[in-house]
Amino acid sequence: MGKRKIRRIKEIVFLIILGFFISGCATPGLQPLHGDSAFKGNKLTLIEQAEKEEAILEESGFIYKDHELEAYLNDVVKRLYAHTLQTQAIPRVKVIKDPHLNAFVFPNGMIYIHTGILSRLDNEAQLAIILAHEMIHYMHRHSFKSFGGYERHQVGKKSQGRLKDLLNRLGATLSMAAMAGYSQALETEADVEGMALVAAAGYEPREAIRLFGHLKREVKTERFKEPLFFGIHPRIDKRIDNCENFILSHPVTDNKGLLNQDIFLEKTREVILVNAFLDLKAGRFQSARRCAKKYLNFNKNDARVYYLMGEIFKLKGGAVPNNKMIGFYEKAIALDPVYPEPYRAIGLLHYKDEKWGLAKKAFESYLAVSPHNQDRAYILEYLEKCQTEGV
Amino acid sequence: MKKCLWLLLLITTACAPGMQGGGSNGRQSVNYSIALPDQWVEVTASRHFLMTKDGVFSQYILVQQRHVEEPFKHTKRTFNRQMLPQEAAQVVLDEIASDRSVMNFKVIENKPTKLNRYDGFRVVFTYKTSKGSEFKTTYYGFLKGDWFYSVRYNVSDRYDTREGYEDFEIVLDSFRIKGA
């Protein structure tokens, strides 16, 4: 069989598959979420529950407030949504301050993406892959199938047990259930149909392989036990298989899909740094360092990232000489002399080394640039000791 | 109610896993003593020394002792023997901040203090649960050798009275490390 003929067959297969995907996304058997009697009872309760939990999350302090970023993420959703035949409400996206690699969707179409996963992405195509996956969960009503007592036979027994356990343990919250993921069949459906949506919207679907490979490495190096975006069931290897199968079923083309790397990195730059500090709090030092290095690629003149690097080395422990940390803190001070934290950090290193004069100088500078900081009482105590011991 | 209890257990174990008064727990032997104020009842002495006056959802005092190398639940950060009180306080705060069941977490106060005669820290913070209940915690802690000790008073906003803090003072004043 000639190459041209094979290519032609591949194209036909692709068109058939695409037709299947489009009809799949349209889900003609499903009704709009609101204003239909078929969705009373369990389903409406799920929507109401979702709205309640959305309100709780909104007030929880976990939402990362950046209107420009939110608008950008919602634009990506709109672009994807335009390639569906859906009539239900368009999904919305918000960002949660959480270093874990996760994204989830409520039955009312509210998608939450964690700073953890957002900060690991390289471009808009990878973002679209994640958002499309969540959109399919929403548009195909996977939450009703899993948590609404609807079509339970589609959900594996093991999954039901785990979800039930989770729901019971954590107060039956929908958010927890959504975060934990769905059955393997539903996750695979979201992967495959999400990929079709990504391709239809003009994004590069092959980015999925990079994305999952990238995240897989990170899960391995940090030894994460993440029940998260990878779901309880189709672990990351299965997700990679789903994406590879999708890509293999498409004709090879020289035309690369959209990546939109520059705009993506411009919009998410701050998230990378914010997340690095969250990783630091969670003691995930390698992740924090990776984020800090990524941020440095875009902005070498931000004092915060040098302070962060110093803190990573300090808190990680091990045989790191003080000079290394001090080098980072001094760089931060050189870039922003009124940024207080590096002064305190230098002061603490010298204080513990009993270099009273140097510690005193650093603490005094800290108080000079930040006289009303919450830890003032500690600093005054250190200064008193420096005074006494330094004599 | 059952759900709330789970949440409370999550918070208590998450915020500082630990101890009790007068027994042993695996490799940890409890080596402190405290007094129980009038009208307060001991809820459990198995793993934590937990006491309350009106029920644990209204207020409780929790006394814990944990080994410095014992891992936390929500942060991979750990204590070390050389830490200053401020650094130890930061580990505790990072643990709580990394706990997803603690919402609207706000630190109101963080300062050095003495617990009994040991240099430590005092942190006051507030938080909400997913059910909307608001709590305020006054947390004392210090490191001594291989151990971290903490005494905290956790109170629901509806039970936040002066008398509660007076009772907490009694517990703080009575705190002793055995043999020290």
Side-chain angles (χ1 to χ4, degrees), chain B residues 45-89:
Chain B
S46 58
R47 181 160 162 74
H48 311 288
F49 194 80
L50 184 66
M51 61 185 97
T52 183
K53 192 177 177 185
D54 304 295
V56 289
F57 300 108
S58 307
Q59 86 283 88
Y60 65 80
I61 293 171
L62 181 66
V63 188
Q64 297 181 301
Q65 175 191 348
R66 59 177 289 144
H67 196 270
V68 286
E69 286 168 4
E70 189 181 330
F72 283 97
K73 191 171 177 182
H74 302 284
T75 181
K76 289 182 186 172
R77 293 196 59 195
T78 50
F79 293 125
N80 71 54
R81 293 164 186 83
Q82 288 76 43
M83 272 182 169
L84 296 166
Q86 184 181 14
E87 293 171 318

Short mmCIF file of all heavy atoms in Angstrom, two decimals, chain B residues 45-89:
data_model
loop_
_atom_site.label_atom_id
_atom_site.label_comp_id
_atom_site.label_asym_id
_atom_site.label_seq_id
_atom_site.Cartn_x
_atom_site.Cartn_y
_atom_site.Cartn_z
N ALA B 45 -6.94 10.79 77.56
CA ALA B 45 -5.54 10.83 77.96
C ALA B 45 -4.77 9.77 77.22
O ALA B 45 -3.71 9.35 77.61
CB ALA B 45 -5.42 10.62 79.47
N SER B 46 -5.36 9.30 76.13
CA SER B 46 -4.71 8.21 75.42
C SER B 46 -3.55 8.71 74.55
O SER B 46 -2.44 8.22 74.66
CB SER B 46 -5.72 7.46 74.57
OG SER B 46 -6.32 8.36 73.67
N ARG B 47 -3.85 9.68 73.71
CA ARG B 47 -2.78 10.17 72.83
C ARG B 47 -2.51 11.65 73.08
O ARG B 47 -1.37 12.08 73.07
CB ARG B 47 -3.16 9.94 71.37
CG ARG B 47 -2.10 10.39 70.42
CD ARG B 47 -2.23 9.74 69.07
NE ARG B 47 -1.48 10.47 68.06
CZ ARG B 47 -0.16 10.45 67.92
NH1 ARG B 47 0.57 9.77 68.78
NH2 ARG B 47 0.45 11.12 66.98
N HIS B 48 -3.58 12.40 73.28
CA HIS B 48 -3.44 13.82 73.58
C HIS B 48 -4.01 14.05 74.97
O HIS B 48 -4.92 13.34 75.38
CB HIS B 48 -4.26 14.68 72.61
CG HIS B 48 -4.05 14.32 71.19
ND1 HIS B 48 -2.90 14.62 70.53
CD2 HIS B 48 -4.86 13.69 70.31
CE1 HIS B 48 -3.00 14.18 69.28
NE2 HIS B 48 -4.18 13.61 69.13
N PHE B 49 -3.51 15.04 75.63
CA PHE B 49 -4.16 15.42 76.87
C PHE B 49 -5.13 16.54 76.53
O PHE B 49 -4.73 17.68 76.30
CB PHE B 49 -3.13 15.88 77.91
CG PHE B 49 -3.71 15.95 79.27
CD1 PHE B 49 -3.85 14.80 80.04
CD2 PHE B 49 -4.15 17.15 79.79
CE1 PHE B 49 -4.42 14.85 81.29
CE2 PHE B 49 -4.72 17.21 81.04
CZ PHE B 49 -4.86 16.06 81.80
N LEU B 50 -6.39 16.17 76.43
CA LEU B 50 -7.43 17.08 75.95
C LEU B 50 -8.43 17.30 77.06
O LEU B 50 -8.93 16.33 77.65
CB LEU B 50 -8.10 16.45 74.72
CG LEU B 50 -9.16 17.24 73.98
CD1 LEU B 50 -8.57 18.47 73.32
CD2 LEU B 50 -9.83 16.36 72.93
N MET B 51 -8.73 18.55 77.35
CA MET B 51 -9.72 18.84 78.39
C MET B 51 -10.69 19.92 77.89
O MET B 51 -10.33 20.74 77.03
CB MET B 51 -9.03 19.29 79.68
CG MET B 51 -8.22 20.54 79.54
SD MET B 51 -7.31 20.96 81.03
CE MET B 51 -5.72 20.30 80.68
N THR B 52 -11.89 19.89 78.43
CA THR B 52 -12.89 20.87 78.01
C THR B 52 -13.83 21.19 79.18
O THR B 52 -13.90 20.42 80.15
CB THR B 52 -13.70 20.36 76.81
OG1 THR B 52 -14.61 21.36 76.39
CG2 THR B 52 -14.47 19.09 77.14
N LYS B 53 -14.54 22.28 79.03
CA LYS B 53 -15.49 22.67 80.07
C LYS B 53 -16.92 22.48 79.56
O LYS B 53 -17.77 21.94 80.24
CB LYS B 53 -15.25 24.14 80.44
CG LYS B 53 -15.96 24.62 81.67
CD LYS B 53 -15.55 26.07 81.94
CE LYS B 53 -16.28 26.65 83.12
NZ LYS B 53 -15.94 28.08 83.28
N ASP B 54 -17.17 22.94 78.34
CA ASP B 54 -18.53 22.91 77.79
C ASP B 54 -18.65 22.00 76.56
O ASP B 54 -19.62 22.07 75.83
CB ASP B 54 -18.97 24.32 77.39
CG ASP B 54 -18.89 25.29 78.54
OD1 ASP B 54 -19.64 25.10 79.50
OD2 ASP B 54 -18.05 26.21 78.48
N GLY B 55 -17.63 21.22 76.29
CA GLY B 55 -17.63 20.39 75.08
C GLY B 55 -16.55 20.86 74.13
O GLY B 55 -16.29 22.07 74.04
N VAL B 56 -15.96 19.91 73.41
CA VAL B 56 -14.79 20.25 72.59
C VAL B 56 -15.13 21.19 71.43
O VAL B 56 -14.26 21.84 70.87
CB VAL B 56 -14.08 18.99 72.04
CG1 VAL B 56 -13.37 18.26 73.14
CG2 VAL B 56 -15.04 18.09 71.29
N PHE B 57 -16.42 21.26 71.05
CA PHE B 57 -16.78 22.19 69.98
C PHE B 57 -16.93 23.61 70.50
O PHE B 57 -17.04 24.55 69.73
CB PHE B 57 -18.06 21.74 69.27
CG PHE B 57 -17.90 20.39 68.66
CD1 PHE B 57 -18.54 19.29 69.20
CD2 PHE B 57 -17.06 20.20 67.58
CE1 PHE B 57 -18.36 18.03 68.66
CE2 PHE B 57 -16.88 18.94 67.03
CZ PHE B 57 -17.52 17.85 67.58
N SER B 58 -16.95 23.73 71.83
CA SER B 58 -17.05 25.07 72.44
C SER B 58 -15.65 25.57 72.79
O SER B 58 -15.28 26.67 72.43
CB SER B 58 -17.91 25.02 73.70
OG SER B 58 -19.14 24.42 73.41
N GLN B 59 -14.93 24.74 73.52
CA GLN B 59 -13.55 25.10 73.85
C GLN B 59 -12.79 23.86 74.31
O GLN B 59 -13.39 22.91 74.79
CB GLN B 59 -13.48 26.22 74.91
CG GLN B 59 -13.54 25.82 76.36
CD GLN B 59 -14.92 25.48 76.80
OE1 GLN B 59 -15.33 24.34 76.68
NE2 GLN B 59 -15.67 26.44 77.34
N TYR B 60 -11.51 23.87 74.11
CA TYR B 60 -10.69 22.80 74.69
C TYR B 60 -9.28 23.32 74.92
O TYR B 60 -8.84 24.31 74.31
CB TYR B 60 -10.66 21.54 73.81
CG TYR B 60 -10.01 21.69 72.45
CD1 TYR B 60 -8.62 21.64 72.29
CD2 TYR B 60 -10.79 21.84 71.31
CE1 TYR B 60 -8.04 21.76 71.05
CE2 TYR B 60 -10.21 21.96 70.05
CZ TYR B 60 -8.84 21.91 69.92
OH TYR B 60 -8.25 22.04 68.69
N ILE B 61 -8.59 22.63 75.82
CA ILE B 61 -7.16 22.87 76.02
C ILE B 61 -6.46 21.56 75.66
O ILE B 61 -6.90 20.48 76.10
CB ILE B 61 -6.85 23.29 77.47
CG1 ILE B 61 -7.46 24.66 77.76
CG2 ILE B 61 -5.33 23.32 77.72
CD1 ILE B 61 -7.41 25.09 79.22
N LEU B 62 -5.45 21.68 74.84
CA LEU B 62 -4.75 20.48 74.36
C LEU B 62 -3.27 20.61 74.72
O LEU B 62 -2.64 21.62 74.40
CB LEU B 62 -4.92 20.39 72.84
CG LEU B 62 -4.30 19.20 72.12
CD1 LEU B 62 -4.96 17.90 72.54
CD2 LEU B 62 -4.44 19.38 70.61
N VAL B 63 -2.76 19.60 75.39
CA VAL B 63 -1.34 19.59 75.76
C VAL B 63 -0.67 18.44 75.01
O VAL B 63 -1.21 17.33 74.99
CB VAL B 63 -1.16 19.38 77.29
CG1 VAL B 63 0.30 19.58 77.68
CG2 VAL B 63 -2.05 20.34 78.06
N GLN B 64 0.42 18.76 74.38
CA GLN B 64 1.08 17.73 73.57
C GLN B 64 2.58 17.74 73.77
O GLN B 64 3.17 18.77 74.06
CB GLN B 64 0.78 17.97 72.09
CG GLN B 64 -0.68 17.84 71.74
CD GLN B 64 -0.93 18.06 70.27
OE1 GLN B 64 -0.61 19.11 69.74
NE2 GLN B 64 -1.51 17.08 69.62
N GLN B 65 3.16 16.59 73.54
CA GLN B 65 4.61 16.45 73.56
C GLN B 65 4.96 15.62 72.33
O GLN B 65 4.38 14.56 72.12
CB GLN B 65 5.04 15.69 74.83
CG GLN B 65 6.52 15.39 74.89
CD GLN B 65 6.85 14.41 76.03
OE1 GLN B 65 6.02 14.14 76.88
NE2 GLN B 65 8.05 13.89 76.00
N ARG B 66 5.84 16.12 71.51
CA ARG B 66 6.21 15.35 70.32
C ARG B 66 7.72 15.34 70.12
O ARG B 66 8.40 16.31 70.48
CB ARG B 66 5.51 15.88 69.07
CG ARG B 66 5.82 17.32 68.77
CD ARG B 66 5.16 17.76 67.48
NE ARG B 66 5.80 17.14 66.33
CZ ARG B 66 5.16 16.76 65.24
NH1 ARG B 66 3.86 16.91 65.16
NH2 ARG B 66 5.81 16.23 64.25
N HIS B 67 8.20 14.27 69.57
CA HIS B 67 9.63 14.16 69.30
C HIS B 67 9.98 15.11 68.17
O HIS B 67 9.19 15.27 67.22
CB HIS B 67 9.98 12.72 68.92
CG HIS B 67 11.44 12.44 69.00
ND1 HIS B 67 12.28 12.63 67.93
CD2 HIS B 67 12.22 12.04 70.03
CE1 HIS B 67 13.51 12.33 68.29
NE2 HIS B 67 13.51 11.96 69.57
N VAL B 68 11.14 15.75 68.25
CA VAL B 68 11.51 16.73 67.22
C VAL B 68 11.57 16.13 65.82
O VAL B 68 11.36 16.83 64.83
CB VAL B 68 12.87 17.43 67.50
CG1 VAL B 68 12.77 18.44 68.60
CG2 VAL B 68 13.97 16.44 67.77
N GLU B 69 11.84 14.84 65.74
CA GLU B 69 11.96 14.23 64.41
C GLU B 69 10.64 13.68 63.87
O GLU B 69 10.59 13.20 62.74
CB GLU B 69 13.01 13.10 64.45
CG GLU B 69 14.42 13.66 64.53
CD GLU B 69 15.46 12.62 64.87
OE1 GLU B 69 15.10 11.42 64.97
OE2 GLU B 69 16.62 13.01 65.05
N GLU B 70 9.61 13.77 64.67
CA GLU B 70 8.31 13.24 64.22
C GLU B 70 7.79 14.09 63.06
O GLU B 70 7.71 15.32 63.17
CB GLU B 70 7.32 13.27 65.39
CG GLU B 70 6.03 12.56 65.07
CD GLU B 70 5.05 12.62 66.24
OE1 GLU B 70 5.50 12.68 67.41
OE2 GLU B 70 3.84 12.62 65.96
N PRO B 71 7.44 13.45 61.96
CA PRO B 71 6.98 14.26 60.82
C PRO B 71 5.59 14.86 61.06
O PRO B 71 4.79 14.30 61.80
CB PRO B 71 6.93 13.26 59.66
CG PRO B 71 6.89 11.92 60.27
CD PRO B 71 7.50 12.02 61.63
N PHE B 72 5.35 15.97 60.44
CA PHE B 72 4.03 16.58 60.49
C PHE B 72 3.15 15.97 59.41
O PHE B 72 3.65 15.27 58.52
CB PHE B 72 4.13 18.10 60.27
CG PHE B 72 4.61 18.85 61.48
CD1 PHE B 72 5.94 19.20 61.60
CD2 PHE B 72 3.72 19.20 62.47
CE1 PHE B 72 6.38 19.89 62.71
CE2 PHE B 72 4.16 19.90 63.58
CZ PHE B 72 5.49 20.25 63.70
N LYS B 73 1.89 16.32 59.50
CA LYS B 73 0.95 15.74 58.54
C LYS B 73 0.87 16.54 57.24
O LYS B 73 0.72 15.97 56.17
CB LYS B 73 -0.42 15.67 59.21
CG LYS B 73 -1.41 14.85 58.42
CD LYS B 73 -2.68 14.64 59.22
CE LYS B 73 -3.70 13.87 58.40
NZ LYS B 73 -4.94 13.70 59.11
N HIS B 74 0.97 17.85 57.34
CA HIS B 74 0.70 18.68 56.15
C HIS B 74 1.93 19.37 55.58
O HIS B 74 1.89 19.85 54.46
CB HIS B 74 -0.36 19.73 56.47
CG HIS B 74 -1.64 19.10 56.93
ND1 HIS B 74 -2.50 18.49 56.08
CD2 HIS B 74 -2.15 18.96 58.17
CE1 HIS B 74 -3.51 18.00 56.76
NE2 HIS B 74 -3.32 18.27 58.04
N THR B 75 2.97 19.47 56.35
CA THR B 75 4.21 20.04 55.82
C THR B 75 5.32 19.03 56.01
O THR B 75 5.30 18.25 56.98
CB THR B 75 4.59 21.37 56.50
OG1 THR B 75 5.80 21.86 55.89
CG2 THR B 75 4.81 21.25 57.99
N LYS B 76 6.26 19.05 55.09
CA LYS B 76 7.41 18.16 55.25
C LYS B 76 8.47 18.81 56.12
O LYS B 76 9.51 18.21 56.38
CB LYS B 76 8.00 17.82 53.88
CG LYS B 76 7.13 16.91 53.05
CD LYS B 76 7.86 16.61 51.75
CE LYS B 76 7.00 15.83 50.80
NZ LYS B 76 7.65 15.70 49.49
N ARG B 77 8.23 20.05 56.51
CA ARG B 77 9.18 20.71 57.41
C ARG B 77 9.17 20.00 58.76
O ARG B 77 8.15 19.46 59.17
CB ARG B 77 8.79 22.18 57.59
CG ARG B 77 8.93 23.00 56.32
CD ARG B 77 8.94 24.48 56.64
NE ARG B 77 10.04 24.78 57.55
CZ ARG B 77 10.16 25.90 58.25
NH1 ARG B 77 9.23 26.84 58.12
NH2 ARG B 77 11.17 26.11 59.04
N THR B 78 10.29 20.04 59.44
CA THR B 78 10.35 19.42 60.77
C THR B 78 11.08 20.35 61.72
O THR B 78 11.76 21.29 61.29
CB THR B 78 11.12 18.08 60.73
OG1 THR B 78 12.36 18.30 60.06
CG2 THR B 78 10.35 16.99 60.02
N PHE B 79 10.96 20.06 62.99
CA PHE B 79 11.74 20.81 63.99
C PHE B 79 13.18 20.31 63.94
O PHE B 79 13.45 19.21 63.45
CB PHE B 79 11.21 20.53 65.40
CG PHE B 79 9.84 21.08 65.67
CD1 PHE B 79 8.82 20.25 66.12
CD2 PHE B 79 9.57 22.42 65.48
CE1 PHE B 79 7.57 20.76 66.39
CE2 PHE B 79 8.31 22.94 65.75
CZ PHE B 79 7.30 22.10 66.21
N ASN B 80 14.08 21.12 64.48
CA ASN B 80 15.39 20.58 64.82
C ASN B 80 15.83 21.19 66.14
O ASN B 80 15.28 22.20 66.58
CB ASN B 80 16.41 20.76 63.69
CG ASN B 80 16.84 22.19 63.50
OD1 ASN B 80 17.28 22.84 64.44
ND2 ASN B 80 16.70 22.68 62.28
N ARG B 81 16.75 20.53 66.76
CA ARG B 81 17.11 20.89 68.14
C ARG B 81 17.71 22.28 68.28
O ARG B 81 17.69 22.87 69.34
CB ARG B 81 18.08 19.84 68.71
CG ARG B 81 17.45 18.48 68.89
CD ARG B 81 18.47 17.38 69.06
NE ARG B 81 17.83 16.07 69.09
CZ ARG B 81 17.49 15.39 68.00
NH1 ARG B 81 17.72 15.86 66.79
NH2 ARG B 81 16.90 14.21 68.13
N GLN B 82 18.26 22.80 67.17
CA GLN B 82 18.92 24.12 67.23
C GLN B 82 17.96 25.28 66.94
O GLN B 82 18.37 26.43 66.90
CB GLN B 82 20.07 24.19 66.24
CG GLN B 82 21.29 23.35 66.62
CD GLN B 82 21.07 21.88 66.38
OE1 GLN B 82 20.54 21.47 65.36
NE2 GLN B 82 21.48 21.07 67.35
N MET B 83 16.72 24.97 66.70
CA MET B 83 15.81 26.04 66.29
C MET B 83 15.55 27.06 67.39
O MET B 83 15.41 26.69 68.57
CB MET B 83 14.46 25.44 65.90
CG MET B 83 14.40 25.05 64.46
SD MET B 83 12.78 24.41 64.04
CE MET B 83 12.96 24.36 62.26
N LEU B 84 15.46 28.30 66.97
CA LEU B 84 15.04 29.35 67.89
C LEU B 84 13.51 29.27 68.03
O LEU B 84 12.84 28.74 67.14
CB LEU B 84 15.41 30.72 67.31
CG LEU B 84 16.91 30.98 67.13
CD1 LEU B 84 17.13 32.20 66.24
CD2 LEU B 84 17.56 31.19 68.49
N PRO B 85 12.96 29.83 69.10
CA PRO B 85 11.49 29.77 69.27
C PRO B 85 10.74 30.33 68.05
O PRO B 85 9.73 29.78 67.63
CB PRO B 85 11.26 30.64 70.51
CG PRO B 85 12.50 30.50 71.29
CD PRO B 85 13.61 30.40 70.30
N GLN B 86 11.26 31.40 67.47
CA GLN B 86 10.59 31.99 66.30
C GLN B 86 10.55 30.99 65.14
O GLN B 86 9.55 30.90 64.42
CB GLN B 86 11.33 33.26 65.86
CG GLN B 86 10.63 33.97 64.72
CD GLN B 86 11.35 35.22 64.26
OE1 GLN B 86 12.52 35.44 64.60
NE2 GLN B 86 10.67 36.05 63.50
N GLU B 87 11.64 30.26 64.98
CA GLU B 87 11.69 29.28 63.88
C GLU B 87 10.75 28.10 64.16
O GLU B 87 10.08 27.59 63.24
CB GLU B 87 13.13 28.79 63.70
CG GLU B 87 14.06 29.89 63.21
CD GLU B 87 15.53 29.50 63.21
OE1 GLU B 87 15.99 28.87 64.19
OE2 GLU B 87 16.23 29.84 62.25
N ALA B 88 10.68 27.70 65.42
CA ALA B 88 9.76 26.61 65.78
C ALA B 88 8.32 27.07 65.55
O ALA B 88 7.49 26.31 65.03
CB ALA B 88 9.97 26.21 67.23
N ALA B 89 8.03 28.31 65.91
CA ALA B 89 6.68 28.85 65.69
C ALA B 89 6.33 28.82 64.21
O ALA B 89 5.21 28.49 63.82
CB ALA B 89 6.59 30.28 66.23
#
